[in-house]
Each structure stands twice: as C-alpha cells, then as structure tokens.
C-alpha cells in the first residue's frame, strides 16, 4: 500500500530526528570499519580527508536527501518518480534503494562475529581470544560463522517483523551513552600503554607521504557508509520530518556525533596496534579483522578483561543491531511501497535475501574462499566494495543530477530555508553543481581502476 502524506508518522521534533539519524549512522561503520580503513590508508591523512569530505560533501548530500524526502514525503523510488516519470528516474531511485538490501546481509555477518566474541567473553575465553591466530581460525570455520550470522540475522528480522523496533530504540538510547563512556575508558587505557604514543601520532598527525588516490576513495566511501548517504535512508527519514525542524542544524549535529565516535574508536584500536603488535605494516593492514585481533589483546592485558570484553562487545552488539534493524526496515518498506507487497511478504522476501547473500559472505573466508578478487578480497569485501565504492557514488550522483537538472537548487534552498537560516547556501550551491559530481566521477573511476588492478593501493 502506498502511504499518503497524511498517514506518514512523523518524528516528534528535532531531537527525535537527530536521534534516529544518529542511531542509523552510528554502528559498525564507526567502531569496526573506520579504524581499519584509517589504519590501512595512512592514519592522520585519512582522518584529515575524512573530516574535510564529511563537512563538505557529506553535509551537502545529507541536506539534499533530507530536503527531497521532506518535500515529496516519499522514500527514494517515489521521490525520484514524483519529479519525472522517465524510466531513468525510477532507476535512479532504485539504485539508492537497493544499497541497503545489499549491505544488510554482510552487516549481519559482522554482527555475528561480534555476537560470537561476546559469548566467548561470557565463557571467560579472554586469553584464547587474544591469540593472533584466533580470529583467522574462527572465520575459516564456515559452520561456526554461519551459525552466529544466522542468530544475528534472525534477531534482526524478528524485531523488524514483529515491529518491536520502538523497544530496541529505547534500549539503544541507554546503550549509546554507555558505549561512549566505555570507549573513552578503553581509549584512555590503550593510549597510555608503552609504545602507544606512536599510534596516537600515526592517527592524529597527517603524513603526506601516506597519501594516495585510494586514501581519497576510501575516505569518501566511508563518509557515505558512516553517514548512511547514497542509499535512500535519509530520504525516508526526511519524509517523516516536520516542516519546522532545522535541517541544517540537525545535519551538523549528526555529522559531529558520528565523527566523534569514529575518532574515539580509532583511538581505542590504533594505539593498541602499536603497543601490542609494533605498528608494523602487516598489523596495520589487517583490514576487517583489525578490531577483532587488536581489542582482545587490550582486554587480555587488563586485570578484569573478561568483564571489560563482555561489556564492550554487548554494547557494540546493540549499536550493530540498531543499524541492521534500520537497514532491513528500510528495505522492507521499499518492497511494501514499490512492489505493493504486504508487510509479511516484504519481510519474508528481505529475510530470504539477507540469509542467501549473507551466507555467501559468511562462507567466503572458509569453504568459499576460492572466490576471491585479487584487488578487493573475499566475498564480504566484494559486497562492501560494490555498495560503497560503486553503487553509493552512482546513487549520490543521481541525487545531484536530479537536483541540478530537474528540481533546481532554488527549490531545495526554499525547502531548507523553511526552518533553517541556511548559512552555507553558497557553499551548498557550488558543491552540488560542480564539485560533488566531479568528485563522484573521480571516485567511481578510481574504484573501477583499482578493482581491475590498473592502480595499486
Ligand atoms: N551507518 C551505519 C554504520 O556506521 C551503517 C549503515 C549504512 C546503515 N547504511 C545504513 C545503518 C542504513 C542503517 C541504515 O554502521
């Protein structure tokens, strides 16, 4: 059933919107993905680029997507088609809408890893987990990875299907601040270990020697991923937004909060890579495994590591769960709105997609490890690359194109100005018309060049 404007529920106000947007923004992207990318792509220089890109391109795209959502009161496919009936318009909406459907499955695989670590800490395996080989052995064991993935995915699907999302949101309002407190404590401990200062320097001081085109590409992909841009989420949130909520100001708050958590997580993990693993290039290049290899060493060196590990992983589990719920929920409502399926059928369809694609990613480090692209990695990395480095730039470019060619920046300015001073209007204009389209093309071409091995990272 199509939801009409009057039936759409709305956020209670700015606070509700910021919390919802921040809730979907803060997740494994901040705690797991940002630190491993920062470690791999040059530390301080990655951080610097990330900051610049998030307040320019990130800001502009969040404002655009939220304004388009609020203007049309529709999610992406509907929003695009409401401006133009051309097939390309509908396709552009779908590009945005498909991304969460492809992220959700592998997100649940990582959620499963987190769950496994939580359970192991509960069992008191604090020494075993700190072993260098532990993580590698675990992910190579396909049966075990699949099992934890299924548990995490089923919990996510159950919450979405039964509609108890509100309850989870209430829990996460308590969990988020707690997570911040624990992360500050862990970061403080990590940074004061012998040898950790080198890691703090690596993370905070830009070193231009570490710069490469892939630093830009990965920083940009991370801006998209972490702020949930280029995938229709913010259209949907914008469509629930009341006309008097200050879009500009809320956007700034979401970016600030999200970035703060990403930096905090890096300060927890990267100094520990230096203190416990010497900060060698191999240690820094661990990729998706980094958090799971490094943090257990920190907990093992603590007197109360079992409790520390349990507490940390349960909090991360909640952060991951709120994000995976929001990913699945968005996809389910796209099916309801666009394919006119019932809620039950939409949930079943998304359940099948999640389990099928997630299983591929889960098995990709074990029985399916022959499927491996030389410049990208395992199946999970391939999904991550496809969504973040290929589809999101295309989705974002479609939004730019819609604004430049069809809607006009004037309309967006009017929409934003209903409730904001829109001080950065000039910057917004230049970015959306010229800079962002060029950057997106560069990112897309570099991603493709990297994938086929034309440029080396
Ligand atoms: N931003 C989330 C994170 O940092 C991940 C994510 C990407 C997401 N797209 C999303 C979460 C859509 C919810 C909805 O972990």
């Amino acid at each position: 059933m199509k939801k009409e404007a009057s039936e759409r529920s709305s956020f209670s106000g700015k606070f509700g919107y910021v919390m919802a947007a921040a809730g979907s923004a803060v997740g494994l992207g901040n705690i797991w993905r940002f630190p491993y990318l920062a470690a791999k792509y040059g530390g301080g220089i990655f951080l610097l680029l990330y900051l610049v890109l998030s307040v320019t391109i990130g800001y502009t795209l969040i404002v655009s997507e939220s304004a388009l959502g609020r203007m049309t009161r529709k999610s992406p496919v509907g929003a695009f088609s409401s401006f133009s009936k051309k097939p390309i318009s509908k396709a552009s909406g779908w590009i945005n809408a498909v991304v969460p459907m492809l992220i959700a499955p592998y997100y649940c695989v990582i959620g499963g890893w987190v769950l496994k670590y939580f359970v192991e800490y509960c069992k008191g395996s604090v020494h075993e987990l700190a072993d260098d080989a532990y993580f590698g052995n675990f992910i190579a064991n396909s049966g075990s990875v699949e099992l934890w993935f299924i548990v995490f995915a089923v919990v996510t699907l159950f919450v979405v299907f039964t509609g108890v999302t509100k309850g989870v949101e209430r829990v996460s309002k308590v969990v988020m601040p707690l997570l911040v407190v624990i992360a500050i404590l862990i970061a403080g401990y990590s940074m004061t270990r012998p040898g950790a200062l080198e890691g703090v320097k690596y993370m905070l001081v830009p070193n231009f020697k570490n710069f490469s085109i892939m630093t830009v590409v990965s920083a940009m992909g991370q801006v998209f991923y972490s702020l949930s841009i280029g995938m229709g989420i913010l259209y949907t949130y914008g469509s629930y937004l009341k006309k008097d909520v200050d879009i500009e100001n809320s956007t700034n708050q979401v970016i600030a909060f999200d970035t703060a958590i990403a930096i905090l997580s890096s300060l927890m993990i990267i100094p520990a890579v230096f203190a416990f693993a010497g900060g060698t290039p191999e240690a820094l290049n661990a990729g998706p495994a980094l958090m799971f290899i490094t943090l257990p060493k920190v907990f093992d060196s603590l007197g109360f590591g079992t409790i520390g590990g349990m507490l940390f992983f349960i909090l991360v589990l909640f952060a991951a769960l709120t994000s995976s719920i929001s990913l699945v929920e968005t996809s389910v409502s796209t099916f309801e709105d666009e394919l006119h399926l019932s809620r039950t059928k939409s949930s079943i369809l998304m359940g099948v997609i999640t389990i099928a694609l997630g299983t591929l990613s889960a098995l990709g480090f074990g029985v399916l490890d022959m499927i491996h692209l030389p410049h990208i990695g395992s199946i999970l990395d391939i999904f991550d690359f496809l969504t973040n480095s290929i589809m999101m730039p295309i989705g974002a470019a479609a939004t730019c194109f819609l604004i430049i060619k069809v809607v006009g920046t004037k309309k967006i300015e009017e929409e934003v100005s209903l409730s904001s001073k829109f001080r950065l209007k000039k910057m917004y204009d230049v970015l959306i018309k010229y800079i962002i389209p060029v950057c997106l093309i560069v990112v897309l071409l570099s991603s493709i060049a990297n994938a086929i091995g034309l440029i080396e990272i």
Side-chain angles (χ1 to χ4, degrees):
M1 276 286 133
K2 275 240 177 325
K3 291 194 191 95
E4 294 308 327
S6 57
E7 284 174 37
R8 281 192 106 83
S9 56
S10 355
F11 291 119
S12 47
K14 183 169 157 216
F15 183 72
Y17 171 70
V18 172
M19 282 314 281
S24 98
V26 176
L28 293 170
N30 310 63
I31 305 161
W32 157 77
R33 200 171 187 274
F34 185 92
Y36 89 68
L37 288 176
K40 187 164 169 183
Y41 294 110
I45 187 77
F46 178 88
L47 176 61
L48 180 67
L49 274 165
Y50 183 86
L51 291 176
V52 171
L53 292 173
S54 62
V55 298
T56 51
I57 299 187
Y59 163 87
T60 306
L61 288 169
I62 298 184
V63 167
S64 305
E65 293 192 10
S66 316
L68 284 168
R70 187 167 79 174
M71 209 187 270
T72 57
R73 299 252 163 241
K74 297 212 166 75
S75 24
V77 185
F80 273 87
S81 336
S82 71
F83 289 107
S84 141
K85 292 278 168 268
K86 294 201 186 116
I88 177 85
S89 196
K90 206 166 182 126
S92 307
W94 273 107
I95 281 258
N96 278 274
V98 166
V99 176
M101 299 171 195
L102 295 180
I103 293 185
Y106 83 81
Y107 205 88
C108 288
V109 174
I110 320 276
W113 296 353
V114 174
L115 182 58
K116 154 85 178 173
Y117 270 57
F118 168 65
V119 171
E120 286 299 328
Y121 275 108
C122 292
K123 293 203 295 203
S125 321
V126 62
H127 296 310
E128 290 84 336
L129 291 170
D131 191 290
D132 269 330
Y134 189 91
F135 183 74
N137 290 339
F138 162 57
I139 56 170
N141 179 349
S142 292
S144 174
V145 176
E146 178 71 7
L147 175 80
W148 294 108
F149 152 64
I150 296 274
V151 175
F152 188 91
V154 166
V155 172
T156 301
L157 293 163
F158 176 81
V159 171
V160 172
F161 185 66
T162 55
V164 292
T165 340
K166 285 270 162 332
V168 176
E169 265 164 31
R170 237 171 283 137
V171 177
S172 73
K173 283 200 183 122
V174 182
V175 163
M176 284 299 171
L178 259 180
L179 182 61
V180 174
V181 174
I182 293 281
I184 291 176
L185 293 177
I186 301 178
Y189 178 78
S190 280
M191 289 193 294
T192 49
R193 289 312 87 206
L197 211 56
E198 273 308 300
V200 179
K201 259 201 237 144
Y202 178 75
M203 188 57 216
L204 297 181
V205 185
N207 181 347
F208 289 86
K209 270 205 261 95
N210 293 335
F211 179 85
S212 80
I213 182 75
M214 281 318 284
T215 323
V216 187
V217 174
S218 56
M220 180 98 154
Q222 177 61 11
V223 167
F224 282 90
Y225 188 93
S226 193
L227 295 172
S228 323
I229 307 170
M231 54 181 96
I233 302 281
L234 296 159
Y235 280 90
T236 313
Y237 283 177
S239 75
Y240 298 134
L241 204 53
K242 292 202 177 121
K243 291 284 184 195
D244 59 356
V245 172
D246 186 334
I247 293 187
E248 184 177 38
N249 205 316
S250 330
T251 301
N252 292 337
Q253 288 183 7
V254 172
I255 295 181
F257 190 61
D258 189 72
T259 309
I261 304 228
I263 296 177
L264 187 57
S265 306
S266 319
L267 290 178
M268 207 165 58
I269 294 174
I270 295 182
V273 176
F274 281 77
F276 295 97
T280 56
E282 298 81 68
L284 287 169
N285 270 325
L290 189 69
M291 173 177 109
F292 295 91
I293 296 179
T294 312
L295 284 182
K297 295 197 202 302
V298 176
F299 293 126
D300 192 33
S301 78
L302 270 174
F304 47 95
T306 301
I307 310 242
M310 261 163 65
L311 203 56
F312 177 77
F313 279 97
I314 186 90
L315 295 173
V316 175
L317 197 58
F318 266 97
L321 204 55
T322 50
S323 289
S324 68
I325 289 168
S326 149
L327 283 160
V328 169
E329 172 72 43
T330 322
S331 312
V332 168
S333 52
T334 305
F335 291 143
E336 280 184 288
D337 284 357
E338 302 307 326
L339 304 183
H340 310 296
L341 296 178
S342 67
R343 175 100 194 155
T344 311
K345 284 198 185 129
S346 306
S347 308
I348 294 175
L349 178 57
M350 190 53 201
V352 172
I353 294 177
T354 305
I355 302 288
L357 299 185
T359 297
L360 290 178
S361 295
L363 304 188
F365 301 96
V367 290
L368 292 181
D369 71 351
M370 64 289 185
I371 305 178
H372 187 99
L373 291 185
H375 301 280
I376 298 177
S378 68
I379 303 180
L380 191 147
D381 296 296
I382 297 172
F383 276 114
D384 189 75
F385 177 83
L386 183 68
T387 47
N388 289 284
S389 307
I390 308 278
M391 296 179 70
M392 287 190 212
I394 298 179
T399 296
C400 286
F401 193 74
L402 180 73
I403 292 175
I404 306 168
K405 290 286 177 211
V406 186
V407 184
T409 47
K410 268 259 144 3
K411 274 246 177 74
I412 303 284
E413 281 167 19
E414 281 166 21
E415 182 67 38
V416 179
S417 303
L418 285 179
S419 51
S420 314
K421 293 213 180 70
F422 208 4
R423 287 184 213 92
L424 300 178
K425 194 158 36 184
K426 290 240 158 54
M427 175 184 105
Y428 175 89
D429 254 36
V430 175
L431 277 163
I432 199 99
K433 284 193 189 144
Y434 311 105
I435 300 183
I436 300 187
V438 172
C439 289
L440 290 172
I441 292 172
V442 172
V443 165
L444 194 60
L445 293 179
S446 327
S447 300
I448 296 171
N450 171 42
I452 55 180
L454 285 183
I455 49 176
E456 266 313 314
I457 2 171

